[in-house]
Amino acid sequence: MLDRLLNWIDLAILNLPNFIVALIVFIIALWLSKNLQRWSSKALSRLIKQPSVRSLISKLLSALIIAMGLFMGLGVLNLDTVLTSLLAGAGVAGLAIGLALQGTLANTFSGIFLAVDDILNVGDWIETNGYSGAVVEIDLRCTKIKESDNNLVIIPNKTILENPFKNYGLTTRIRTSITCGVAYQSNLQEVKALAISTIQKIYPPLVTEQIEFHYLNFGESSIDFQLRFWVNATANITSLEAKSEAIINLKNAFDENNIEIPYPIRTVFNSDK
């Protein structure tokens, strides 16, 4: 026992420099991981807008630095067998965890892809999987949208990524349209010019755009037309607001110029006379 104890003491003294070096390596790895998490979070803020995704990537980088420090420390101590066992155990554990959390991992990576690809951001108005609303939060598992009736809808990230969705926030200009009718005695050229000039004042088109005016048909009590124009918009609700504003201004312009917007009239004849 005494000889074995002396051998252990000798081995400890001989490996003391290696132990000190391994400890220093691990301490440096801890320091780097702590600071790297903060530095990477600042750097990723320019590329990824979602805080939850930035936090995940920063923590993964931090854990990677710690693992590298641990493996380097074990290598300095010549504990290759322990290192091999750790790597084998990590591989088996990773495989088991991956199989058990397939759905969760799929949603996590889908959330990271949505954040990095910048096709979906908080505040965008989207339509997906039969729901439409403003994006209020994107985390690692799901995306939350608020519908126009103020209800929240929680949709898994994988479902959004695997199905088509419309994002009104990806474009700053959308085209909307309104339909109306004027009396048969109206001057159609005057109606067209007045309607276009009225819309042009409130929603001026860009150089590559134009306001479209088309007469559609002879209705029962009016000649119907359609106006198509462009507005600045990042949400579907903006299109409704634009239509409302256009209708108000068009009605006022027609009233000022004595252009009638007729309503259906039914004439009843008395057969007894």
Side-chain angles (χ1 to χ4, degrees):
M1 290 293 295
L2 182 60
D3 292 338
R4 182 170 296 181
L5 182 60
L6 291 174
N7 288 333
W8 287 350
I9 294 175
D10 291 338
L11 288 174
I13 294 174
L14 290 174
N15 289 299
L16 182 61
N18 291 341
F19 178 78
I20 294 175
V21 172
L23 183 62
I24 292 174
V25 168
F26 188 70
I27 291 174
I28 292 174
L30 287 176
W31 180 84
L32 284 175
S33 67
K34 182 178 180 181
N35 289 276
L36 182 64
Q37 188 172 352
R38 184 175 68 254
W39 297 336
S40 61
S41 181
K42 291 181 180 179
L44 290 172
S45 61
R46 303 174 183 175
L47 301 175
I48 303 175
K49 298 180 181 180
Q50 283 70 38
S52 57
V53 178
R54 292 201 305 267
S55 176
L56 173 66
I57 296 177
S58 299
K59 290 179 180 179
L60 289 176
L61 290 175
S62 177
L64 180 62
I65 295 297
I66 293 176
M68 290 178 60
L70 178 62
F71 293 153
M72 291 175 63
L74 291 175
V76 171
L77 293 174
N78 296 319
L79 298 177
D80 298 333
T81 305
V82 177
L83 180 59
T84 304
S85 300
L86 285 175
L87 291 174
V92 173
L95 179 62
I97 293 174
L99 292 174
L101 300 176
Q102 290 185 26
T104 302
L105 291 176
N107 286 322
T108 299
F109 284 108
S110 297
I112 294 174
F113 178 81
L114 290 173
V116 173
D117 201 41
D118 200 25
I119 59 175
L120 196 64
N121 296 294
V122 173
D124 292 346
W125 187 281
I126 66 171
E127 293 180 0
T128 178
N129 297 282
Y131 301 98
S132 63
V135 179
V136 295
E137 184 180 352
I138 303 174
D139 58 28
L140 298 176
R141 189 183 65 85
C142 60
T143 297
K144 298 178 182 178
I145 66 173
K146 180 180 289 187
E147 295 186 297
S148 56
D149 58 2
N150 206 41
N151 283 320
L152 287 175
V153 181
I154 301 174
I155 306 175
N157 292 328
K158 179 183 176 182
T159 304
I160 294 179
L161 196 61
E162 291 182 346
N163 293 280
F165 70 91
K166 181 187 290 187
N167 185 358
Y168 289 89
L170 295 180
T171 178
T172 57
R173 300 280 288 178
I174 63 172
R175 186 162 60 178
T176 187
S177 64
I178 59 173
T179 57
C180 186
V182 293
Y184 273 88
Q185 64 269 23
S186 302
N187 185 324
L188 299 186
Q189 294 295 336
E190 179 184 353
V191 170
K192 179 178 180 179
L194 181 60
I196 293 177
S197 64
T198 300
I199 298 299
Q200 192 169 11
K201 290 178 182 177
I202 56 176
Y203 299 116
L206 300 180
V207 178
T208 57
E209 302 169 352
Q210 63 178 350
I211 298 173
E212 298 179 5
F213 182 101
H214 302 285
Y215 286 106
L216 301 178
N217 55 267
F218 294 97
E220 294 182 357
S221 57
S222 65
I223 298 178
D224 301 325
F225 66 86
Q226 181 185 64
L227 263 173
R228 303 176 69 188
F229 53 95
W230 295 85
V231 296
N232 292 324
T234 55
N236 188 34
I237 191 66
T238 308
S239 176
L240 299 178
E241 294 171 349
K243 287 183 180 181
S244 178
E245 188 68 20
I247 290 173
I248 292 173
N249 283 267
L250 200 61
K251 175 65 166 57
N252 292 336
F254 283 176
D255 289 345
E256 292 174 0
N257 291 271
N258 298 318
I259 296 176
E260 181 185 358
I261 302 177
Y263 51 87
I265 299 175
R266 177 174 297 178
T267 303
V268 180
F269 295 95
N270 191 344
S271 58
D272 294 336
K273 294 183 179 181

